[in-house]
Amino acid sequence: EVQLVESGGGLVQPGRSLRLSCVASGFTFDDHAMHWVRQAPGKGLEWVSGINWNSGTKDYADSVKGRFTISRDNAKNSLHLDMNSLRAEDMALYYCVKDIAVYTSGWFDSWGQGTLVTVSS
Amino acid sequence: QSALTQPRSVSGSPGQSLTISCTGISGDVGKYNRVSWYQQPPGTAPRLIIYDVSRRPSGVPDRFSASKSGDTASLTISGLQADDEADYFCCASAGSYVLFGGGTKVAVL
């Protein structure tokens, strides 16, 4: 059974940094691209960032480009999101998401339960 | 990178069929076949129900079908059931970015 377990969320002041992590199990991690997708309370889904199987391709939404960095450690089956210069509009539930393919196809076949990031002074 | 356009809500009675549209621009929905649909019941994580425009993952009932014409993708739910009540999101991958629709709330009357 595929499991994606996120951690690292919490309350952070505007302008500060936070690192999200996701540990994967139940599938061959380096056979799949991975993504972060967020959902603000009561709102829709927003793709944040994606990384292909070997970290050769990293893509970002315009809203986070230059502030967020995605990375993965295939030896530890883990995915990370370093978030800097956080803003109120970054407040959301952040999902770790598995792609069907090794490249970023945008087809997300497994989702974690999410970790909540709250940005407030 | 603008969100794809979906109706905010649709409703139907049990047993009926309903269709949700998803309109993009020629650079995303129209250009690529990387269209997918997700179901999100209240308080749960999204679940993939359609990928590659019209393919269903294993375990998704064939009451869910989808298609694409030009810049518009569509999801049809046939034989509507009470547990189909959820938010539905379309999604298009266009090269280096991924777009979601704003979501459609499906109510079963």
PDB file of all heavy atoms in Angstrom, chain A residues 54-84:
ATOM      1  N   ASN A  54      14.973  11.750 -10.968  1.00  0.00           N
ATOM      2  CA  ASN A  54      16.396  11.871 -10.601  1.00  0.00           C
ATOM      3  C   ASN A  54      16.794  13.306 -10.281  1.00  0.00           C
ATOM      4  O   ASN A  54      17.969  13.645 -10.306  1.00  0.00           O
ATOM      5  CB  ASN A  54      17.270  11.330 -11.730  1.00  0.00           C
ATOM      6  CG  ASN A  54      17.183  12.180 -12.995  1.00  0.00           C
ATOM      7  OD1 ASN A  54      16.374  13.104 -13.087  1.00  0.00           O
ATOM      8  ND2 ASN A  54      18.013  11.882 -13.982  1.00  0.00           N
ATOM      9  N   SER A  55      15.797  14.141  -9.995  1.00  0.00           N
ATOM     10  CA  SER A  55      16.030  15.555  -9.652  1.00  0.00           C
ATOM     11  C   SER A  55      16.572  16.370 -10.828  1.00  0.00           C
ATOM     12  O   SER A  55      17.015  17.499 -10.629  1.00  0.00           O
ATOM     13  CB  SER A  55      16.995  15.685  -8.456  1.00  0.00           C
ATOM     14  OG  SER A  55      16.532  14.960  -7.349  1.00  0.00           O
ATOM     15  N   GLY A  56      16.525  15.807 -12.025  1.00  0.00           N
ATOM     16  CA  GLY A  56      17.035  16.527 -13.178  1.00  0.00           C
ATOM     17  C   GLY A  56      16.126  17.660 -13.636  1.00  0.00           C
ATOM     18  O   GLY A  56      16.577  18.598 -14.298  1.00  0.00           O
ATOM     19  N   THR A  57      14.865  17.576 -13.301  1.00  0.00           N
ATOM     20  CA  THR A  57      13.891  18.605 -13.665  1.00  0.00           C
ATOM     21  C   THR A  57      13.122  19.024 -12.425  1.00  0.00           C
ATOM     22  O   THR A  57      12.561  18.180 -11.723  1.00  0.00           O
ATOM     23  CB  THR A  57      12.906  18.098 -14.730  1.00  0.00           C
ATOM     24  OG1 THR A  57      13.616  17.660 -15.882  1.00  0.00           O
ATOM     25  CG2 THR A  57      11.930  19.206 -15.128  1.00  0.00           C
ATOM     26  N   LYS A  58      13.106  20.304 -12.159  1.00  0.00           N
ATOM     27  CA  LYS A  58      12.334  20.862 -11.042  1.00  0.00           C
ATOM     28  C   LYS A  58      11.499  22.011 -11.583  1.00  0.00           C
ATOM     29  O   LYS A  58      12.029  22.898 -12.247  1.00  0.00           O
ATOM     30  CB  LYS A  58      13.261  21.367  -9.938  1.00  0.00           C
ATOM     31  CG  LYS A  58      14.185  20.305  -9.368  1.00  0.00           C
ATOM     32  CD  LYS A  58      15.132  20.889  -8.330  1.00  0.00           C
ATOM     33  CE  LYS A  58      16.108  19.823  -7.833  1.00  0.00           C
ATOM     34  NZ  LYS A  58      17.030  20.365  -6.801  1.00  0.00           N
ATOM     35  N   ASP A  59      10.207  21.978 -11.331  1.00  0.00           N
ATOM     36  CA  ASP A  59       9.297  23.003 -11.827  1.00  0.00           C
ATOM     37  C   ASP A  59       8.550  23.644 -10.668  1.00  0.00           C
ATOM     38  O   ASP A  59       8.295  22.993  -9.652  1.00  0.00           O
ATOM     39  CB  ASP A  59       8.293  22.411 -12.820  1.00  0.00           C
ATOM     40  CG  ASP A  59       8.958  21.830 -14.054  1.00  0.00           C
ATOM     41  OD1 ASP A  59       9.786  22.552 -14.660  1.00  0.00           O
ATOM     42  OD2 ASP A  59       8.676  20.673 -14.411  1.00  0.00           O
ATOM     43  N   TYR A  60       8.175  24.918 -10.865  1.00  0.00           N
ATOM     44  CA  TYR A  60       7.516  25.663  -9.807  1.00  0.00           C
ATOM     45  C   TYR A  60       6.365  26.502 -10.356  1.00  0.00           C
ATOM     46  O   TYR A  60       6.434  26.998 -11.491  1.00  0.00           O
ATOM     47  CB  TYR A  60       8.511  26.610  -9.124  1.00  0.00           C
ATOM     48  CG  TYR A  60       9.685  25.911  -8.501  1.00  0.00           C
ATOM     49  CD1 TYR A  60      10.863  25.716  -9.215  1.00  0.00           C
ATOM     50  CD2 TYR A  60       9.626  25.422  -7.192  1.00  0.00           C
ATOM     51  CE1 TYR A  60      11.946  25.054  -8.648  1.00  0.00           C
ATOM     52  CE2 TYR A  60      10.698  24.766  -6.617  1.00  0.00           C
ATOM     53  CZ  TYR A  60      11.854  24.584  -7.355  1.00  0.00           C
ATOM     54  OH  TYR A  60      12.928  23.931  -6.789  1.00  0.00           O
ATOM     55  N   ALA A  61       5.357  26.683  -9.539  1.00  0.00           N
ATOM     56  CA  ALA A  61       4.309  27.642  -9.875  1.00  0.00           C
ATOM     57  C   ALA A  61       4.895  29.047  -9.793  1.00  0.00           C
ATOM     58  O   ALA A  61       5.816  29.310  -8.994  1.00  0.00           O
ATOM     59  CB  ALA A  61       3.148  27.505  -8.899  1.00  0.00           C
ATOM     60  N   ASP A  62       4.366  29.950 -10.605  1.00  0.00           N
ATOM     61  CA  ASP A  62       4.859  31.330 -10.590  1.00  0.00           C
ATOM     62  C   ASP A  62       4.765  31.934  -9.190  1.00  0.00           C
ATOM     63  O   ASP A  62       5.611  32.744  -8.804  1.00  0.00           O
ATOM     64  CB  ASP A  62       4.051  32.184 -11.568  1.00  0.00           C
ATOM     65  CG  ASP A  62       4.415  31.919 -13.020  1.00  0.00           C
ATOM     66  OD1 ASP A  62       5.444  31.249 -13.260  1.00  0.00           O
ATOM     67  OD2 ASP A  62       3.669  32.373 -13.904  1.00  0.00           O
ATOM     68  N   SER A  63       3.743  31.542  -8.436  1.00  0.00           N
ATOM     69  CA  SER A  63       3.491  32.136  -7.125  1.00  0.00           C
ATOM     70  C   SER A  63       4.574  31.812  -6.094  1.00  0.00           C
ATOM     71  O   SER A  63       4.665  32.485  -5.064  1.00  0.00           O
ATOM     72  CB  SER A  63       2.128  31.681  -6.601  1.00  0.00           C
ATOM     73  OG  SER A  63       2.069  30.269  -6.519  1.00  0.00           O
ATOM     74  N   VAL A  64       5.382  30.788  -6.356  1.00  0.00           N
ATOM     75  CA  VAL A  64       6.408  30.399  -5.373  1.00  0.00           C
ATOM     76  C   VAL A  64       7.813  30.416  -5.961  1.00  0.00           C
ATOM     77  O   VAL A  64       8.791  30.207  -5.226  1.00  0.00           O
ATOM     78  CB  VAL A  64       6.116  28.998  -4.782  1.00  0.00           C
ATOM     79  CG1 VAL A  64       4.716  28.932  -4.218  1.00  0.00           C
ATOM     80  CG2 VAL A  64       6.349  27.909  -5.811  1.00  0.00           C
ATOM     81  N   LYS A  65       7.928  30.668  -7.253  1.00  0.00           N
ATOM     82  CA  LYS A  65       9.231  30.635  -7.913  1.00  0.00           C
ATOM     83  C   LYS A  65      10.180  31.634  -7.262  1.00  0.00           C
ATOM     84  O   LYS A  65       9.821  32.784  -7.008  1.00  0.00           O
ATOM     85  CB  LYS A  65       9.046  30.943  -9.396  1.00  0.00           C
ATOM     86  CG  LYS A  65      10.134  30.439 -10.304  1.00  0.00           C
ATOM     87  CD  LYS A  65       9.745  30.598 -11.779  1.00  0.00           C
ATOM     88  CE  LYS A  65       8.654  29.642 -12.175  1.00  0.00           C
ATOM     89  NZ  LYS A  65       8.325  29.716 -13.622  1.00  0.00           N
ATOM     90  N   GLY A  66      11.378  31.167  -6.954  1.00  0.00           N
ATOM     91  CA  GLY A  66      12.370  32.026  -6.317  1.00  0.00           C
ATOM     92  C   GLY A  66      12.310  32.011  -4.797  1.00  0.00           C
ATOM     93  O   GLY A  66      13.230  32.499  -4.135  1.00  0.00           O
ATOM     94  N   ARG A  67      11.233  31.480  -4.237  1.00  0.00           N
ATOM     95  CA  ARG A  67      11.094  31.421  -2.768  1.00  0.00           C
ATOM     96  C   ARG A  67      11.108  29.980  -2.252  1.00  0.00           C
ATOM     97  O   ARG A  67      11.579  29.723  -1.136  1.00  0.00           O
ATOM     98  CB  ARG A  67       9.783  32.091  -2.334  1.00  0.00           C
ATOM     99  CG  ARG A  67       9.668  33.553  -2.692  1.00  0.00           C
ATOM    100  CD  ARG A  67       8.426  34.192  -2.069  1.00  0.00           C
ATOM    101  NE  ARG A  67       7.191  33.561  -2.527  1.00  0.00           N
ATOM    102  CZ  ARG A  67       6.289  33.013  -1.711  1.00  0.00           C
ATOM    103  NH1 ARG A  67       6.487  33.009  -0.404  1.00  0.00           N
ATOM    104  NH2 ARG A  67       5.174  32.477  -2.209  1.00  0.00           N
ATOM    105  N   PHE A  68      10.579  29.052  -3.038  1.00  0.00           N
ATOM    106  CA  PHE A  68      10.488  27.652  -2.620  1.00  0.00           C
ATOM    107  C   PHE A  68      11.478  26.814  -3.422  1.00  0.00           C
ATOM    108  O   PHE A  68      11.736  27.090  -4.602  1.00  0.00           O
ATOM    109  CB  PHE A  68       9.082  27.104  -2.862  1.00  0.00           C
ATOM    110  CG  PHE A  68       8.004  27.646  -1.954  1.00  0.00           C
ATOM    111  CD1 PHE A  68       8.222  28.740  -1.117  1.00  0.00           C
ATOM    112  CD2 PHE A  68       6.753  27.058  -1.939  1.00  0.00           C
ATOM    113  CE1 PHE A  68       7.230  29.233  -0.296  1.00  0.00           C
ATOM    114  CE2 PHE A  68       5.729  27.539  -1.118  1.00  0.00           C
ATOM    115  CZ  PHE A  68       5.983  28.634  -0.304  1.00  0.00           C
ATOM    116  N   THR A  69      12.012  25.759  -2.786  1.00  0.00           N
ATOM    117  CA  THR A  69      12.907  24.825  -3.455  1.00  0.00           C
ATOM    118  C   THR A  69      12.485  23.398  -3.141  1.00  0.00           C
ATOM    119  O   THR A  69      12.350  23.032  -1.965  1.00  0.00           O
ATOM    120  CB  THR A  69      14.365  25.028  -3.003  1.00  0.00           C
ATOM    121  OG1 THR A  69      14.773  26.375  -3.277  1.00  0.00           O
ATOM    122  CG2 THR A  69      15.292  24.067  -3.736  1.00  0.00           C
ATOM    123  N   ILE A  70      12.285  22.622  -4.190  1.00  0.00           N
ATOM    124  CA  ILE A  70      11.908  21.222  -4.019  1.00  0.00           C
ATOM    125  C   ILE A  70      13.168  20.365  -4.147  1.00  0.00           C
ATOM    126  O   ILE A  70      14.081  20.691  -4.908  1.00  0.00           O
ATOM    127  CB  ILE A  70      10.844  20.800  -5.060  1.00  0.00           C
ATOM    128  CG1 ILE A  70      10.236  19.446  -4.703  1.00  0.00           C
ATOM    129  CG2 ILE A  70      11.419  20.810  -6.477  1.00  0.00           C
ATOM    130  CD1 ILE A  70       9.014  19.074  -5.577  1.00  0.00           C
ATOM    131  N   SER A  71      13.210  19.277  -3.390  1.00  0.00           N
ATOM    132  CA  SER A  71      14.330  18.345  -3.486  1.00  0.00           C
ATOM    133  C   SER A  71      13.862  16.956  -3.062  1.00  0.00           C
ATOM    134  O   SER A  71      12.787  16.813  -2.465  1.00  0.00           O
ATOM    135  CB  SER A  71      15.501  18.803  -2.607  1.00  0.00           C
ATOM    136  OG  SER A  71      15.113  18.841  -1.241  1.00  0.00           O
ATOM    137  N   ARG A  72      14.658  15.957  -3.408  1.00  0.00           N
ATOM    138  CA  ARG A  72      14.340  14.600  -3.020  1.00  0.00           C
ATOM    139  C   ARG A  72      15.592  13.837  -2.685  1.00  0.00           C
ATOM    140  O   ARG A  72      16.682  14.159  -3.197  1.00  0.00           O
ATOM    141  CB  ARG A  72      13.542  13.883  -4.121  1.00  0.00           C
ATOM    142  CG  ARG A  72      14.294  13.667  -5.408  1.00  0.00           C
ATOM    143  CD  ARG A  72      13.369  13.153  -6.520  1.00  0.00           C
ATOM    144  NE  ARG A  72      12.873  11.812  -6.242  1.00  0.00           N
ATOM    145  CZ  ARG A  72      11.809  11.273  -6.839  1.00  0.00           C
ATOM    146  NH1 ARG A  72      11.132  11.968  -7.732  1.00  0.00           N
ATOM    147  NH2 ARG A  72      11.422  10.034  -6.550  1.00  0.00           N
ATOM    148  N   ASP A  73      15.456  12.823  -1.849  1.00  0.00           N
ATOM    149  CA  ASP A  73      16.559  11.936  -1.496  1.00  0.00           C
ATOM    150  C   ASP A  73      16.085  10.514  -1.767  1.00  0.00           C
ATOM    151  O   ASP A  73      15.339   9.940  -0.953  1.00  0.00           O
ATOM    152  CB  ASP A  73      16.932  12.128  -0.024  1.00  0.00           C
ATOM    153  CG  ASP A  73      18.143  11.305   0.386  1.00  0.00           C
ATOM    154  OD1 ASP A  73      18.452  10.296  -0.291  1.00  0.00           O
ATOM    155  OD2 ASP A  73      18.772  11.642   1.394  1.00  0.00           O
ATOM    156  N   ASN A  74      16.464   9.975  -2.904  1.00  0.00           N
ATOM    157  CA  ASN A  74      15.964   8.647  -3.281  1.00  0.00           C
ATOM    158  C   ASN A  74      16.472   7.553  -2.341  1.00  0.00           C
ATOM    159  O   ASN A  74      15.817   6.528  -2.163  1.00  0.00           O
ATOM    160  CB  ASN A  74      16.332   8.341  -4.728  1.00  0.00           C
ATOM    161  CG  ASN A  74      15.506   9.147  -5.725  1.00  0.00           C
ATOM    162  OD1 ASN A  74      14.475   9.725  -5.370  1.00  0.00           O
ATOM    163  ND2 ASN A  74      15.970   9.199  -6.965  1.00  0.00           N
ATOM    164  N   ALA A  75      17.617   7.755  -1.742  1.00  0.00           N
ATOM    165  CA  ALA A  75      18.150   6.756  -0.803  1.00  0.00           C
ATOM    166  C   ALA A  75      17.302   6.664   0.461  1.00  0.00           C
ATOM    167  O   ALA A  75      17.254   5.618   1.106  1.00  0.00           O
ATOM    168  CB  ALA A  75      19.581   7.105  -0.432  1.00  0.00           C
ATOM    169  N   LYS A  76      16.621   7.762   0.791  1.00  0.00           N
ATOM    170  CA  LYS A  76      15.803   7.804   2.002  1.00  0.00           C
ATOM    171  C   LYS A  76      14.303   7.876   1.694  1.00  0.00           C
ATOM    172  O   LYS A  76      13.494   8.085   2.597  1.00  0.00           O
ATOM    173  CB  LYS A  76      16.197   8.997   2.864  1.00  0.00           C
ATOM    174  CG  LYS A  76      17.625   8.923   3.391  1.00  0.00           C
ATOM    175  CD  LYS A  76      17.955  10.112   4.283  1.00  0.00           C
ATOM    176  CE  LYS A  76      19.380   9.996   4.824  1.00  0.00           C
ATOM    177  NZ  LYS A  76      19.740  11.162   5.679  1.00  0.00           N
ATOM    178  N   ASN A  77      13.957   7.702   0.410  1.00  0.00           N
ATOM    179  CA  ASN A  77      12.541   7.754   0.002  1.00  0.00           C
ATOM    180  C   ASN A  77      11.848   9.007   0.540  1.00  0.00           C
ATOM    181  O   ASN A  77      10.725   8.942   1.066  1.00  0.00           O
ATOM    182  CB  ASN A  77      11.788   6.505   0.497  1.00  0.00           C
ATOM    183  CG  ASN A  77      12.132   5.264  -0.299  1.00  0.00           C
ATOM    184  OD1 ASN A  77      12.944   5.285  -1.214  1.00  0.00           O
ATOM    185  ND2 ASN A  77      11.520   4.149   0.060  1.00  0.00           N
ATOM    186  N   SER A  78      12.500  10.131   0.399  1.00  0.00           N
ATOM    187  CA  SER A  78      11.946  11.343   0.974  1.00  0.00           C
ATOM    188  C   SER A  78      11.912  12.495  -0.016  1.00  0.00           C
ATOM    189  O   SER A  78      12.741  12.594  -0.931  1.00  0.00           O
ATOM    190  CB  SER A  78      12.733  11.744   2.225  1.00  0.00           C
ATOM    191  OG  SER A  78      14.067  12.019   1.885  1.00  0.00           O
ATOM    192  N   LEU A  79      10.939  13.348   0.194  1.00  0.00           N
ATOM    193  CA  LEU A  79      10.716  14.548  -0.621  1.00  0.00           C
ATOM    194  C   LEU A  79      10.683  15.738   0.326  1.00  0.00           C
ATOM    195  O   LEU A  79      10.181  15.621   1.454  1.00  0.00           O
ATOM    196  CB  LEU A  79       9.375  14.424  -1.356  1.00  0.00           C
ATOM    197  CG  LEU A  79       8.917  15.614  -2.197  1.00  0.00           C
ATOM    198  CD1 LEU A  79       9.756  15.708  -3.473  1.00  0.00           C
ATOM    199  CD2 LEU A  79       7.432  15.470  -2.539  1.00  0.00           C
ATOM    200  N   HIS A  80      11.227  16.858  -0.128  1.00  0.00           N
ATOM    201  CA  HIS A  80      11.274  18.036   0.726  1.00  0.00           C
ATOM    202  C   HIS A  80      10.821  19.276  -0.027  1.00  0.00           C
ATOM    203  O   HIS A  80      10.886  19.335  -1.247  1.00  0.00           O
ATOM    204  CB  HIS A  80      12.698  18.260   1.249  1.00  0.00           C
ATOM    205  CG  HIS A  80      13.271  17.077   1.936  1.00  0.00           C
ATOM    206  ND1 HIS A  80      12.931  16.731   3.229  1.00  0.00           N
ATOM    207  CD2 HIS A  80      14.160  16.138   1.506  1.00  0.00           C
ATOM    208  CE1 HIS A  80      13.576  15.636   3.569  1.00  0.00           C
ATOM    209  NE2 HIS A  80      14.334  15.253   2.540  1.00  0.00           N
ATOM    210  N   LEU A  81      10.370  20.253   0.751  1.00  0.00           N
ATOM    211  CA  LEU A  81      10.052  21.558   0.194  1.00  0.00           C
ATOM    212  C   LEU A  81      10.575  22.612   1.160  1.00  0.00           C
ATOM    213  O   LEU A  81      10.078  22.727   2.285  1.00  0.00           O
ATOM    214  CB  LEU A  81       8.548  21.736  -0.016  1.00  0.00           C
ATOM    215  CG  LEU A  81       8.142  23.029  -0.724  1.00  0.00           C
ATOM    216  CD1 LEU A  81       8.604  23.003  -2.189  1.00  0.00           C
ATOM    217  CD2 LEU A  81       6.630  23.251  -0.648  1.00  0.00           C
ATOM    218  N   ASP A  82      11.597  23.349   0.726  1.00  0.00           N
ATOM    219  CA  ASP A  82      12.122  24.459   1.513  1.00  0.00           C
ATOM    220  C   ASP A  82      11.390  25.726   1.115  1.00  0.00           C
ATOM    221  O   ASP A  82      11.414  26.114  -0.056  1.00  0.00           O
ATOM    222  CB  ASP A  82      13.624  24.610   1.276  1.00  0.00           C
ATOM    223  CG  ASP A  82      14.399  23.479   1.905  1.00  0.00           C
ATOM    224  OD1 ASP A  82      14.318  23.324   3.139  1.00  0.00           O
ATOM    225  OD2 ASP A  82      15.058  22.727   1.163  1.00  0.00           O
ATOM    226  N   MET A  83      10.750  26.332   2.085  1.00  0.00           N
ATOM    227  CA  MET A  83       9.917  27.501   1.818  1.00  0.00           C
ATOM    228  C   MET A  83      10.509  28.711   2.536  1.00  0.00           C
ATOM    229  O   MET A  83      10.642  28.710   3.767  1.00  0.00           O
ATOM    230  CB  MET A  83       8.487  27.251   2.314  1.00  0.00           C
ATOM    231  CG  MET A  83       7.857  25.993   1.731  1.00  0.00           C
ATOM    232  SD  MET A  83       6.133  25.785   2.191  1.00  0.00           S
ATOM    233  CE  MET A  83       6.271  25.598   3.940  1.00  0.00           C
ATOM    234  N   ASN A  84      10.904  29.710   1.772  1.00  0.00           N
ATOM    235  CA  ASN A  84      11.467  30.935   2.325  1.00  0.00           C
ATOM    236  C   ASN A  84      10.540  32.117   2.073  1.00  0.00           C
ATOM    237  O   ASN A  84       9.648  32.048   1.216  1.00  0.00           O
ATOM    238  CB  ASN A  84      12.836  31.210   1.692  1.00  0.00           C
ATOM    239  CG  ASN A  84      13.844  30.126   1.986  1.00  0.00           C
ATOM    240  OD1 ASN A  84      13.911  29.598   3.095  1.00  0.00           O
ATOM    241  ND2 ASN A  84      14.631  29.768   0.980  1.00  0.00           N
TER     242      ASN A  84
END
